[in-house]
Amino acid sequence: MERRELRDALHAARVPDDYYRIEGVHEPVPTPTDFLFLRRAPDGVWETGAYERGAYEVLARHPDEATGCGHLLHLLV
């Protein structure tokens, strides 16, 4: 699964748009107060985590986009 497929799967599962952020694919405006995220780290791995109270907390690091997408899907559905 890649990021656009993840976005489609979350939409199909009726997960509210402000519950998550997917770098380059789904970045809600205005930025929600709290959300789960998938992003690419500077070292090239993919990170999933939570944004709360103005701070990002990485929950897991993944070797590829597909694994990161699967983890965020699992967290939200």
Side-chain angles (χ1 to χ4, degrees):
M1 174 181 295
E2 57 92 25
R3 289 174 287 159
R4 285 170 184 74
E5 293 171 318
L6 172 59
R7 168 68 175 106
D8 292 344
L10 293 171
H11 183 76
R14 299 181 185 258
V15 176
D17 285 343
D18 61 348
Y19 281 20
Y20 61 93
R21 180 180 185 277
I22 303 170
E23 182 178 276
V25 174
H26 177 74
E27 300 178 8
V29 175
T31 301
T33 305
D34 303 311
F35 57 88
L36 296 179
F37 66 85
L38 172 67
R39 68 181 182 193
R40 190 166 199 157
D43 63 359
V45 301
W46 290 87
E47 298 176 332
T48 50
Y51 178 84
E52 296 179 298
R53 298 182 191 104
Y56 286 93
E57 180 181 344
V58 174
L59 300 174
R61 292 171 49 86
H62 311 280
D64 54 51
E65 181 178 353
T67 306
C69 288
H71 186 234
L72 187 62
L73 182 63
H74 174 77
L75 292 172
L76 288 165
V77 176

